């Protein structure tokens, strides 16, 4: 399956929330997941990160990148995902072969956008299933309170 | 900011604590910085020419059409598909599955294969699949009574009922305008640096204006005659908007800040003007009178809202004295006008803001270039939890006031329904699903963060390692210094929270007028009313702020 970067990012973030990540970390996972897939990195790490919740890289990687301008990034077996997180930062940042981080928080990241993002049907199904955990089943009362409720539209 | 090299004098900005309140946001009017206006300037500047290379419509107006134009060195096309919709399927709700018409703004000029693909997919909307050449996806339903009235009149060889055109204001209303990657269409990032499409929602605004043009062509085709030009200009494009728009403002704090900052900066610049010339004084008088006429023509079925409009209309008549030639000939007259309305309702104040900005394009139009968000949240990290605490006290005191344990302070919750993933607002103590609440409770989260901060300072990352649930609140507090207008400074889960206020704020930035609330959570509006027609793209035509019926 291939999709727009925004829909893949949004789905990945919802999947992370559905799997138990707090909202900020889930959003960061979504941003990193897009970079990860666009770079052709292993989907296995994306699955592993979700399986590791409520611990693991979805919680630890944002902390490692939160305030350090440089230093060693301990990726705990998620090296590709760590690189994806760095590439998703809004400012200039790089992670070298030895996992040394260098940031310049005053300079915006210069990102090249791909038109499409590819992911396997299996991963998409996994994400859709996790994201669906956030959805509230339809009820009469919720339907009545939705936008457009209670009106004839043939006016 | 693009105009930083020669920044005009300005008065202090209105404080975020005043501006970012729901009740004020729910009183906003469109301004010359609204996105539709920016798009029209651009079309005027380029003297854009709209072509219609394809018109495959049967006598009843069902079929498809293609419109093309050049903008900023690129060609774009609107593919419009008109279908025969049974009456029982016509609904404005997001959960609808069929519409009178469907649209795609296409990147380039579509060939036969792309047209065929779009004809198959566009009517399916969310159930269709789109590609990166498809920039915007939309759909619209007819205002059946007006569309039929216009067709009947034209077929009878006369012009339609002008009063009905004035009262309804559009032939069709859109019920969604999707951009930025939805359902496989192009990401905004792919087109965000194209001339003419840099501004927020620019591609969507172009689409809306072209849809309006299509509705004019369609009714003339079915009616078999031309509409009077003045009637046509007053026919905008309607829109029905619900809760889906509200979370956007919460989830895009930097964008919200940039919109508000541009508008407030514009106001502060005109307030700083020492004196006005005769032409400016005359112009303000004309606009004030036009605003009065617009309020008189703004009629809605909801009694409460109509009463509010009537009050504003009355108050505005009194306020117009502040804009008399005498008053405007004094020193710093616009500052005096703003000072004078501080005792008036927020409706009056916000109408005055929009009015005062309108005549001063040379002072404020450059600010429209600052309303996008090309970089995302970009704020330096906070040193430690003591700094975090200080930042909360300095910028987020509004969040600490409510007692979120009290029922009325947490009586509602935002969630996403299984039905078409529609955002909704539930009653926490009555409706199921509160455990799946969407994180729009920013104020409550900031207070919870504040209460959890340790007495002894520690690094923010050490704190978050123990308290990962507070990461969102930390992010928002971190943004507060650099982006002062980023946060709606109200409790969005309180029983008293009215989502319609958020909708009006966002829609006013689009350029919407004639707000017609159908409940406290969805509204109809009119876009492009009075805007230039496709063959009127000259500078003189860009004078349609709060239009009045001119037929």
């Amino acid at each position: 399956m291939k999709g727009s970067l925004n829909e893949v990012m949004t789905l990945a973030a919802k999947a992370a929330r559905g799997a138990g990540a707090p909202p900020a970390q889930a959003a960061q996972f979504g941003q990193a997941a897009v970079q990860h897939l666009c770079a052709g990195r292993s989907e296995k790490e994306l699955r592993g990160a979700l399986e590791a919740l409520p611990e693991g890289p979805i919680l630890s990687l944002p902390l490692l990148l939160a305030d350090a301008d440089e230093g060693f990034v301990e990726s705990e077996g998620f090296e590709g995902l760590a690189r994806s997180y760095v590439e998703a930062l809004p400012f200039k940042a790089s992670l070298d072969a030895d996992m040394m981080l260098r940031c310049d928080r005053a300079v915006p990241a210069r990102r090249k956008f791909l038109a499409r993002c590819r992911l396997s049907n299996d991963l998409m199904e996994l994400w859709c299933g996790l994201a669906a955990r956030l959805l509230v089943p339809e009820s009469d009362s919720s339907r009545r309170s939705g936008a457009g409720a209670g009106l004839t539209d043939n006016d | 900011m693009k105009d930083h090299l020669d920044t005009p004098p300005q008065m202090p900005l209105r404080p975020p604590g005043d501006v970012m309140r729901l009740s004020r946001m729910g009183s906003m009017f469109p301004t010359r910085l609204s996105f539709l206006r920016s798009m029209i300037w651009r079309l005027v500047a380029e003297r854009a020419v709209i072509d219609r290379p394809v018109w495959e419509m049967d006598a009843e107006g069902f079929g498809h059409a293609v419109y093309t134009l050049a903008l900023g060195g690129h060609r774009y096309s609107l593919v419009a598909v008109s279908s025969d919709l049974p009456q029982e399927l016509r609904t404005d709700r997001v959960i609808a599955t069929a519409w009178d018409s469907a649209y795609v703004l296409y990147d380039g000029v579509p060939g036969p294969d792309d047209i065929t693909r779009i004809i198959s997919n566009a009517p399916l909307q969310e159930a269709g699949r789109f590609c990166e050449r498809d920039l915007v996806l939309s759909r619209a339903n007819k205002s059946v009574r007006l569309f039929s009235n216009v067709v009947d009149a034209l077929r009878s060889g006369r012009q339609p009922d002008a009063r009905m055109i004035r009262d309804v204001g559009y032939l069709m209303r859109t019920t969604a305008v999707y951009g930025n990657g939805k359902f496989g269409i192009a990401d905004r990032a792919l087109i965000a640096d194209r001339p003419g499409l840099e501004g927020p929602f620019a591609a969507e605004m172009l689409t809306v204006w072209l849809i309006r043009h299509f509705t004019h062509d369609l009714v003339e085709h079915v009616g078999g005659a031309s509409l009077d030009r003045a009637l046509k200009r007053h026919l905008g494009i309607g829109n029905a908007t619900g809760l889906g728009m509200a979370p956007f403002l919460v989830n895009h704090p930097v964008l919200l800040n940039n919109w508000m900052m541009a508008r407030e900066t514009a106001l502060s610049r005109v307030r700083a003007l020492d004196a006005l010339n005769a032409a400016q004084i005359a112009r303000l008088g004309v606009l004030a009178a036009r605003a009065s006429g617009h309020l008189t023509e703004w009629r809605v079925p909801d009694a409460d809202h109509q009463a509010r409009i009537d009050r504003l209309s009355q108050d505005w008549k009194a306020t117009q004295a502040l804009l008399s030639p005498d008053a405007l000939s004094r020193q710093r007259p616009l500052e005096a006008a703003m000072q004078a309305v501080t005792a008036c309702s927020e409706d009056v104040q916000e109408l005055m803001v929009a009015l005062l900005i309108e005549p001063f394009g040379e002072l404020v139009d450059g600010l429209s270039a600052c309303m996008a968000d090309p970089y995302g949240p970009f704020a330096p990290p906070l040193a430690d939890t003591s700094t975090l605490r200080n930042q909360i006290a300095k910028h987020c005191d509004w969040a600490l006031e409510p007692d979120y344990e009290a029922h009325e302070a947490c009586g509602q919750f935002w969630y996403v329904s299984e039905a078409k993933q529609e955002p909704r607002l539930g009653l926490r103590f009555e409706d199921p699903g509160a455990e799946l609440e969407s994180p729009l409770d920013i104020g409550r989260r900031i207070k919870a963060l504040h209460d959890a901060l340790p007495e002894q300072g520690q690094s923010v990352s050490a704190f978050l390692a123990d308290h990962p649930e507070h990461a969102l609140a930390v992010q928002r507090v971190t943004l507060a210094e650099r982006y002062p207008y980023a946060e709606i400074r109200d409790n969005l889960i309180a029983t008293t929270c009215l989502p319609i206020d958020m909708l009006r704020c966002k829609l006013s930035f689009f350029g919407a007028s004639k707000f017609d609330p159908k409940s406290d959570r969805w509204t109809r509006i009119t876009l492009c009313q009075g805007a230039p027609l496709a063959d009127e793209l000259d500078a003189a035509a860009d004078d349609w702020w709060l239009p009045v019926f001119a037929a």
Side-chain angles (χ1 to χ4, degrees):
Chain A
M1 182 263 181
K2 59 181 182 177
S4 73
L5 276 57
N6 193 40
E7 68 182 334
V8 172
M9 178 182 76
T10 305
L11 179 60
K14 287 178 182 171
R17 268 196 68 217
Q25 292 88 335
Q28 285 172 290
F29 176 73
Q31 292 157 3
V34 167
Q35 297 299 322
H36 197 86
L37 291 168
C38 287
R41 297 186 181 119
S42 163
E43 290 186 358
K44 194 175 162 192
E45 287 189 47
L46 296 174
R47 293 169 192 277
L50 290 168
E51 286 164 8
L53 285 167
E55 295 174 354
I58 292 178
L59 295 181
S60 63
L61 283 172
L63 294 177
L64 290 171
L65 305 174
D67 46 18
D69 286 337
E70 54 182 51
F72 178 71
V73 172
E74 173 52 70
S75 67
E76 298 173 5
F78 289 89
E79 184 183 326
L81 188 58
R83 293 188 184 285
S84 303
Y85 267 82
V86 171
E87 289 162 9
L89 291 170
F91 45 82
K92 188 178 174 186
S94 64
L95 197 57
D96 70 15
D98 298 324
M99 303 301 283
M100 288 299 292
L101 173 72
R102 284 180 185 80
C103 299
D104 186 344
R105 292 175 189 270
V107 179
R110 295 183 70 174
R111 207 165 284 139
K112 193 179 168 196
F113 292 98
L114 298 177
R116 299 283 94 173
C117 183
R118 286 183 181 278
L119 69 162
S120 70
N121 289 338
D122 287 349
L123 183 61
M124 196 182 73
E125 276 176 31
L126 171 70
W127 283 358
C128 286
L130 292 170
R133 293 181 184 174
L134 301 173
L135 303 177
V136 175
E138 178 92 320
S139 68
D140 278 351
S141 73
S142 75
R143 193 179 168 83
R144 277 197 303 277
S145 66
L151 190 94
T152 168
D153 294 312
N154 291 299
D155 56 350
Chain B
M1 287 190 172
K2 280 195 176 174
D3 58 351
H4 70 287
L5 293 177
D6 189 18
T7 305
Q10 63 182 60
M11 300 293 285
L13 298 175
R14 293 193 296 177
D18 291 346
V19 175
M20 300 307 293
R21 300 302 302 267
L22 275 178
S23 62
R24 186 175 295 280
M25 295 168 78
S27 302
M28 288 172 59
F29 285 86
T31 72
R32 64 177 299 122
L33 294 175
S34 297
F35 308 140
L36 256 173
R37 289 288 296 280
S38 311
M39 175 49 67
I40 297 292
W41 305 338
R42 186 73 194 208
L43 293 171
V44 166
E46 297 205 10
R47 296 182 178 279
V49 174
I50 316 302
D51 295 319
R52 196 181 75 183
V54 178
W55 183 262
E56 296 286 339
M57 289 288 164
D58 69 18
E60 295 304 312
F62 305 123
H64 67 276
V66 178
Y67 295 83
T68 72
L69 79 164
L71 179 68
H74 294 263
R75 281 206 85 78
Y76 303 100
S77 303
L78 181 80
V79 181
V81 185
S82 172
S83 309
D84 187 1
L85 180 70
Q87 184 163 306
E88 64 273 17
L89 293 182
R90 186 173 292 109
T91 168
D92 283 6
R93 298 200 65 170
V94 164
I95 53 176
T97 54
W99 301 268
D100 283 312
S101 59
Y103 308 89
V104 163
L105 183 71
Y106 181 85
D107 187 8
V109 178
D113 289 349
D114 272 319
I115 292 174
T116 302
R117 174 181 64 79
I118 291 170
I119 289 171
S120 302
N121 278 274
L124 302 175
Q125 295 285 293
E126 295 93 339
R129 195 64 198 160
F130 301 90
C131 73
E132 63 267 34
R133 298 295 296 275
D134 305 325
L135 305 180
V136 176
L137 172 68
S138 184
R139 72 286 188 107
N141 283 336
K142 284 172 183 154
S143 166
V144 177
R145 63 188 163 121
L146 184 58
F147 199 93
S148 304
N149 177 282
V150 174
V151 166
D152 290 347
L154 293 179
R155 281 180 175 168
S156 311
R158 54 185 168 81
Q159 287 298 308
D161 179 357
R163 205 169 35 182
M164 193 179 213
I165 286 189
R166 184 195 65 198
D167 291 347
V168 178
Y170 52 78
L171 293 163
M172 288 195 190
R173 57 180 169 264
T174 57
T175 63
V177 183
Y178 292 119
N180 196 13
K182 286 279 181 72
F183 316 111
I185 63 177
D187 287 296
R188 172 167 161 77
L190 292 175
I191 55 170
D193 60 354
R194 290 193 188 178
L197 296 187
E198 312 96 323
F201 293 94
E204 289 87 343
M205 295 300 106
L206 176 62
T207 304
V208 161
W209 183 75
L210 288 167
I211 291 173
R212 176 219 193 196
H213 183 47
F214 167 72
T215 66
H216 295 168
D217 279 2
L218 188 68
V219 82
E220 288 182 336
H221 170 82
V222 180
S226 294
L227 261 171
D228 175 80
R229 180 172 288 274
L231 292 178
K232 202 160 33 170
R233 202 180 296 121
H234 203 71
L235 284 169
I237 183 81
N239 173 266
T241 292
L243 288 180
M245 196 166 259
F248 182 95
L249 291 181
V250 183
N251 293 330
H252 295 80
V254 176
L255 208 50
L256 177 60
N257 173 78
N258 294 354
W259 298 358
M260 289 292 193
M261 181 66 85
R263 184 172 167 279
E264 292 303 315
T265 303
L267 174 64
S268 72
R269 286 183 182 179
V270 300
R271 288 171 68 180
L273 287 170
D274 280 331
L276 303 181
N277 62 36
Q280 290 165 336
I281 290 172
R283 178 82 177 128
L284 282 162
V286 167
L287 291 170
R290 189 198 293 174
S292 187
H294 181 89
L295 295 175
T296 305
E297 289 182 3
W298 182 7
R299 314 297 300 171
V300 299
D302 180 74
D304 289 345
H305 198 71
Q306 187 58 53
R308 178 176 164 188
I309 296 167
D310 292 342
R311 265 195 312 278
L312 171 59
S313 193
Q314 279 302 114
D315 293 347
W316 185 250
K317 284 188 173 70
T319 307
Q320 277 183 265
L322 299 170
L323 302 170
S324 69
D326 251 10
L328 292 177
S329 300
R330 296 176 195 143
Q331 185 76 5
R332 206 163 261 184
L334 305 187
E335 170 62 7
M338 276 308 293
Q339 289 293 343
V341 294
T342 50
C344 300
S345 68
E346 287 173 317
D347 282 344
V348 170
Q349 293 177 40
E350 294 310 303
L351 179 54
M352 183 64 89
V353 169
L355 168 72
L356 296 189
I357 293 172
E358 180 64 24
F360 300 100
E362 73 283 4
L363 267 186
V364 307
D365 287 352
L367 293 164
S368 67
C370 313
M371 296 173 88
D373 170 25
Y375 306 122
F378 206 76
L382 300 177
D384 51 35
T385 53
S386 300
T387 313
L388 188 54
R389 185 190 297 279
N390 292 339
Q391 289 297 103
I392 293 173
K394 188 175 172 189
H395 299 291
C396 306
D397 52 340
W398 59 271
L400 305 182
E401 288 166 13
D403 170 11
Y404 296 100
E405 300 291 318
H407 275 211
E408 65 275 12
C410 66
Q412 300 192 91
F413 70 101
W414 296 82
Y415 66 94
V416 180
S417 167
E418 237 175 22
K420 263 199 174 182
Q421 304 200 13
E422 183 183 38
R424 289 184 184 169
L425 192 57
L427 297 174
R428 187 179 305 277
F429 303 107
E430 295 175 26
D431 297 336
E435 70 283 4
L436 299 173
E437 180 168 9
S438 302
L440 302 190
D441 53 339
I442 302 299
R444 182 170 66 169
R445 285 172 179 273
I446 290 174
K447 185 165 184 178
L449 163 66
H450 182 265
D451 293 348
L453 288 174
E455 288 297 321
Q456 289 286 324
Q458 64 178 145
S459 79
V460 174
S461 36
F463 169 75
L464 285 177
D466 292 334
H467 302 281
E469 70 278 13
H470 292 306
L472 177 58
V474 169
Q475 278 184 355
R476 305 300 281 241
V477 176
T478 304
L479 293 177
E481 178 103 34
R482 183 169 286 186
Y483 305 103
Y485 296 103
E487 233 38 274
I488 299 171
R489 298 188 177 208
D490 263 305
N491 177 10
L492 303 182
I493 54 170
T495 311
T496 50
C497 169
L498 300 178
I500 194 82
D501 292 331
M502 298 155 82
L503 305 187
R504 177 150 167 183
C505 169
K506 189 178 176 199
L507 290 164
S508 74
F509 275 107
F510 285 4
S513 58
K514 301 273 177 75
F515 295 90
D516 177 11
K518 298 299 176 189
S519 78
D520 61 17
R521 54 193 68 192
W522 80 281
T523 184
R524 284 181 180 165
I525 54 157
T526 308
L527 292 159
C528 297
Q529 193 171 53
L533 303 173
D535 60 354
E536 295 179 332
L537 292 173
D538 57 67
D542 185 31
D543 181 17
W544 50 288
W545 176 75
L546 297 192
V548 290
F549 192 52

